[in-house]
Amino acid sequence: MREQAVSFGAGGNLSGILCEPSQPAPGAPAMLMWNVGVHHRVGAFRIWVDLARKLAEAGFTSLRFDLSGMGDSDVRRG
């Protein structure tokens, strides 16, 4: 499994963690996880971190990220 911080979106203003499996499952869809605003960005009891790592063990790629203006993502301009 490999985890890496990434920036994406217009101007690279969104931040997230890409979690890639060592052995990707053929045809497995990528999973997206984002914060819900009122909870800490890793989720209650770090659920998004644990889920991303379990998915990687099963061969799924995932991206967990902060919505605009939350966590490490910049506020959207305009």
Side-chain angles (χ1 to χ4, degrees):
M1 176 187 62
R2 180 178 142 204
E3 291 180 297
Q4 116 184 17
V6 295
S7 294
F8 59 99
N13 62 326
L14 298 175
S15 299
I17 303 293
L18 181 65
C19 187
E20 299 175 290
S22 299
Q23 296 291 323
M31 310 301 281
L32 296 175
M33 295 170 257
W34 57 90
N35 61 16
V36 293
V38 296
H39 293 287
H40 189 276
R41 69 178 179 256
V42 298
F45 307 105
R46 293 177 48 93
I47 192 167
W48 300 136
V49 175
D50 293 340
L51 179 58
R53 292 176 180 168
K54 290 289 185 189
L55 286 167
E57 289 175 9
F60 291 83
T61 297
S62 67
L63 175 65
R64 54 190 194 270
F65 66 98
D66 297 328
L67 296 173
S68 179
M70 297 182 167
D72 292 326
S73 290
D74 291 335
V75 175
R76 184 174 41 194
R77 305 287 181 227

